[in-house]
Amino acid sequence: MRSVLLKEIGLLAMEDIPVPEPGPGQVLLRVSRCALCRTDAKMWSQGQRDLILPRVLGHEICGIREGTDERFVVWPGEACGRCVQCVGRAENLCEEMKILGFNRDGGLAEKVLVPESSLISVPAALADDAACLAEPLACAFNALEQANLSAGHTLLILGGGAVGLLIALAAKTAGACPFIVEISPEKLSKSEAFRNRLDIRAGASCDYGSFDVAVNACSADDTLLAGISRLKSSGCFCFFSGFTGEKPFPVKALNEIHYRQLRVVGAYGCTRAQMARSLPVLDEFQKEVRLLIEQEIRLGETAQGLSTVLAGEVLKIVVNMEA
Ligand SMILES: [Zn+2]
Ligand SMILES: [Zn+2]
């Protein structure tokens, strides 16, 4: 079967690989759509903590179970179910976690092998391309859950790409009031239709009010101090996008945390339950979320697609495996 294989950092190849054989508890899915994520582009350009090479990339999948017409999205984790994290319902932090497209082969291929327990049914009216956004939306739910965002809270989102916009959608459904800061005027104009339909405010600067919660939806490290200094006392900064480089944590930010009793929480991935929660939201706001999908490409155009993602100027690209 055709696949997009990351052979080593920087080297992506279209390769024919054998169709995997399902073992006990596993299911073979025919991939219909796989959305490209900034993490895929990052793995290609610089690697990632959980990446094991060579690897078929892709973790935002909608597929059809072989021999049926049942459509599913896939929770990308494979957790042990026994460790303290799994028992505590934080299976995204499982001590033996294997992530689709990171340390087992993902969905940028004609077929993908997944645990049956990771399948989540797609509502009948939800299109395959919009269903792919279940995973990033679930990661947004996880971030807001870690930060204890509640109805009536104000939320500062640093970064107005697809993830920042999905965090804003998740916040809206929780009854909170999000404000997005995005420095790129092109990106702000690209998201205008989405934001207008959902009444989400946005601007180019951070000089605005004070917030209950702030979350970084981009990897620029100045977002840390920017977010922390915009929090109300006892507010919470959610560290959502990982940073690269070796810059030390600014002392000014540490003192803000100390004197104003701020909380800092991390968020990584999502649980199966959070993914299941995101599907009805995508179903309800399907028209809006489809505005985030800027390009649909073929599998053979993946490298070009990832370059566009890396340049940071595109909202969402979806690979159509049926094209
Ligand atoms: Zn992703
Ligand atoms: Zn576990």
Side-chain angles (χ1 to χ4, degrees):
M1 63 174 185
R2 292 179 307 141
S3 73
V4 170
L5 197 65
L6 183 62
K7 303 184 88 163
E8 51 189 83
I9 308 296
L11 181 61
L12 207 59
M14 280 293 294
E15 208 139 294
D16 259 315
I17 58 169
V19 176
E21 277 288 319
Q26 291 181 320
V27 168
L28 198 58
L29 279 191
R30 181 154 49 81
V31 181
S32 152
R33 303 285 188 286
C34 181
L36 299 182
C37 169
R38 206 166 162 76
T39 313
D40 298 318
K42 188 178 153 189
M43 287 196 278
W44 176 42
S45 67
Q46 62 186 80
Q48 201 267 358
R49 189 197 68 172
D50 294 323
L51 175 67
I52 297 170
L53 295 170
R55 182 65 53 225
V56 177
L57 298 178
H59 58 273
E60 300 180 2
I61 301 169
C62 178
I64 299 145
R65 190 178 185 149
E66 275 292 74
T68 74
D69 54 5
E70 299 166 89
R71 296 183 305 139
F72 296 97
V73 293
V74 180
W75 177 59
E78 186 175 346
C80 75
R82 297 176 305 272
C83 73
V84 63
Q85 302 297 345
C86 283
V87 172
R89 296 201 185 146
E91 74 268 20
N92 55 317
L93 305 178
C94 171
E95 291 161 9
E96 292 169 36
M97 179 60 121
K98 291 195 181 70
I99 313 171
L100 194 70
F102 291 62
N103 39 26
R104 56 198 174 88
D105 280 343
L108 284 169
E110 289 175 68
K111 288 171 188 174
V112 64
L113 201 56
V114 295
E116 187 163 19
S117 58
S118 298
L119 298 180
I120 305 166
S121 271
V122 176
L126 184 62
D128 294 11
D129 55 357
C132 287
L133 302 182
E135 195 271 345
L137 182 59
C139 294
F141 278 127
N142 182 43
L144 301 184
E145 223 166 90
Q146 299 310 316
N148 290 334
L149 184 88
S150 309
H153 273 170
T154 50
L155 169 69
L156 174 63
I157 301 166
L158 300 144
V163 161
L165 295 161
L166 289 172
I167 292 172
L169 170 61
K172 278 297 224 186
T173 65
C177 180
F179 183 87
I180 295 174
V181 171
E182 171 54 60
I183 53 171
S184 153
E186 293 80 24
K187 256 192 182 164
L188 274 177
S189 76
K190 280 179 178 183
S191 68
E192 203 175 342
F194 176 87
R195 289 186 287 102
N196 285 346
R197 289 184 71 116
L198 292 168
D199 191 25
I200 295 165
R201 289 172 311 144
S205 100
C206 216
D207 295 332
Y208 180 90
S210 61
F211 295 83
D212 296 291
V213 174
V215 55
N216 70 323
C218 66
S219 55
D221 51 21
D222 57 353
T223 53
L224 180 69
L225 187 57
I228 280 176
S229 58
R230 293 290 158 205
L231 287 173
K232 292 177 184 168
S233 289
S234 82
C236 179
F237 182 87
C238 179
F239 193 21
F240 181 84
S241 287
F243 294 155
T244 48
E246 297 295 328
K247 261 200 188 165
F249 201 84
V251 171
K252 196 167 174 222
L254 290 171
N255 280 331
E256 290 266 326
I257 294 166
H258 163 61
Y259 286 116
R260 302 202 297 115
Q261 290 193 182
L262 306 177
R263 287 187 307 125
V264 177
V265 297
Y268 181 54
C270 60
T271 64
R272 195 187 178 284
Q274 286 159 343
M275 254 189 99
R277 260 176 63 201
S278 69
L279 281 163
V281 175
L282 292 173
D283 200 21
E284 182 179 352
F285 296 99
Q286 173 156 214
K287 274 206 181 82
E288 287 78 11
V289 295
R290 290 187 89 182
L291 293 169
L292 302 181
I293 301 170
E294 267 186 62
Q295 290 181 28
E296 192 168 90
I297 61 171
R298 295 161 190 258
L299 187 65
E301 296 166 327
T302 301
Q304 203 183 331
L306 286 175
S307 302
T308 312
V309 171
L310 207 55
E313 287 300 331
V314 69
L315 292 178
K316 206 71 187 165
I317 297 179
V318 173
V319 178
N320 182 351
M321 303 297 302
E322 293 163 344

